[in-house]
Amino acid sequence: MTGHQIDQLLQPPRRGSIPRAPAFIVTLYGDAIEPRGGTLWMGDLVSCCAKQGISESLVRTAVSRLVAAGKLLGERIGRRSFYRLTEQAQEEFRSASKVLYTPPPVARGWLLALKTCEALPDGWVSMGSGVALAPNRSDIVRLSGAVVSGEAIGERKDWPDLAADLWDLKVVAERYRSFLERYDALGKVLRDSGLNNVDGKNALGLRLSLIHHYRLAALKDPRLPREAWPEDWPGPDARRLFVSIYLALAAAADAYIGGSFSDSRGLLPSATEVTDLRLDRLAREAVSFTG
């Protein structure tokens, strides 16, 4: 793969698809910075965002807004500024990281809350009159009160229509397909020729772009039982592509972080216990795809 090919893959496929600076900055911190102490020099942040087509002025504006929103904390040492995620933002990305870096829990049937007045947490949808429905997964918050679990019986062909009425599956499917369209070529190149000509900076840029676009779909995916999937549901294909590309880019990207990114104490480590655990989980998941 040539540097020119890499640059082409990094370019947005359509006008207006450059990542929004605040969202991309949170992605950068969650993937690369938080597992390495959580603090990054502003100069490295600007350089990394430039690879995604985000200008320095947009980065500085986004950082100011993230500070005002309680997502980032800043510290100035001499002439340099350093920023880290707040506790609130850390918690938000920890929740997201369970979707990104671990095999998603399988939904085994359904949960039905028969009478609830509480605000519904993620995963639950109202069916009216205090009744709520959710996929029965290990990561779904259990509501208080009368809740039953069960499996689908009868006409399973009716479940996709019901699910489409309760969850916005069309939007999620479109985002998964957009992800597959954008990264399928990269996946094929990595399978065929590896990373012989990809330097660390490009590997990190590709990985962060990969995460940003995958999470647009994955964090909105209700991950329903299989009987409720629409026809040709693209979620599993997108997951396999995400895992394979992330693993292929990891070594070069992490080495670049360790040799280039710094906090107030010096260079960040290329690997930590957290990053090793992420890669181990993803590698085990990749094996399951072929098992």
Side-chain angles (χ1 to χ4, degrees):
M1 179 185 284
T2 67
H4 177 65
Q5 287 174 306
I6 288 289
D7 287 339
Q8 284 185 317
L9 288 167
L10 277 170
Q11 292 302 312
R14 293 178 295 273
R15 182 177 298 177
S17 63
I18 292 174
R20 290 181 60 251
F24 182 78
I25 289 169
V26 172
T27 296
L28 165 62
Y29 269 85
D31 180 65
I33 310 307
E34 187 59 26
R36 296 172 171 84
T39 301
L40 183 65
W41 173 46
M42 183 66 163
D44 291 331
L45 177 57
V46 169
S47 175
C48 191
C49 287
K51 197 67 180 173
Q52 308 298 323
I54 303 171
S55 68
E56 180 174 352
S57 62
L58 285 176
V59 172
R60 294 188 180 278
T61 298
V63 166
S64 296
R65 290 175 178 171
L66 287 168
V67 169
K71 306 290 188 181
L72 286 179
L73 288 174
E75 178 184 18
R76 191 168 184 85
I77 300 177
R79 300 180 63 182
R80 287 188 161 196
S81 296
F82 300 86
Y83 291 90
R84 62 182 174 85
L85 293 177
T86 62
E87 178 110 8
Q88 174 192 352
Q90 289 175 36
E91 187 56 39
E92 290 174 1
F93 202 89
R94 284 190 202 106
S95 177
S97 69
K98 294 175 184 177
V99 176
L100 298 174
Y101 304 114
T102 61
V106 176
R108 304 189 183 282
W110 300 89
L111 296 171
L112 188 67
L114 301 179
K115 194 67 177 177
T116 180
C117 298
E118 58 187 291
L120 297 177
D122 288 345
W124 288 89
V125 292
S126 173
M127 301 185 72
S129 302
V131 177
L133 182 70
N136 190 359
R137 300 193 316 261
S138 60
D139 61 333
I140 290 290
V141 175
R142 268 46 177 175
L143 301 181
S144 58
V147 179
V148 297
S149 64
E151 297 181 358
I153 60 174
E155 292 291 338
R156 296 202 172 199
K157 65 181 178 62
D158 295 332
W159 278 96
D161 290 338
L162 175 63
D165 288 338
L166 297 173
W167 286 275
D168 202 354
L169 299 181
K170 183 178 180 180
V171 169
V172 176
E174 288 173 351
R175 290 181 179 184
Y176 274 137
R177 292 191 179 99
S178 177
F179 172 82
L180 287 164
E181 179 184 352
R182 182 182 179 95
Y183 291 100
D184 184 61
L186 175 59
K188 289 178 179 177
V189 168
L190 294 176
R191 286 193 298 271
D192 294 344
S193 59
L195 286 166
N196 296 333
N197 297 314
V198 181
D199 63 28
K201 185 174 184 178
N202 280 321
L204 177 62
L206 286 166
R207 189 174 83 178
L208 292 172
S209 178
L210 176 86
I211 297 165
H212 176 78
H213 289 93
Y214 178 72
R215 69 182 295 190
L216 293 177
L219 297 187
K220 294 294 185 182
D221 186 352
R223 289 176 283 141
L224 303 175
R226 191 178 187 90
E227 67 262 14
W229 291 0
E231 188 176 357
D232 299 325
W233 181 242
D237 287 341
R239 180 65 187 177
R240 283 190 287 269
L241 184 62
F242 171 79
V243 171
S244 66
I245 295 177
Y246 190 99
L247 289 172
L249 296 171
D254 288 339
Y256 176 76
I257 293 170
S260 304
F261 283 10
S262 60
D263 59 17
S264 58
R265 297 169 296 180
L267 290 174
L268 301 183
S270 59
T272 66
E273 184 177 345
V274 174
T275 62
D276 287 344
L277 180 60
R278 284 180 180 178
L279 292 178
D280 180 67
R281 286 173 173 167
L282 290 173
R284 289 171 183 269
E285 186 177 357
V287 170
S288 74
F289 296 151
T290 58

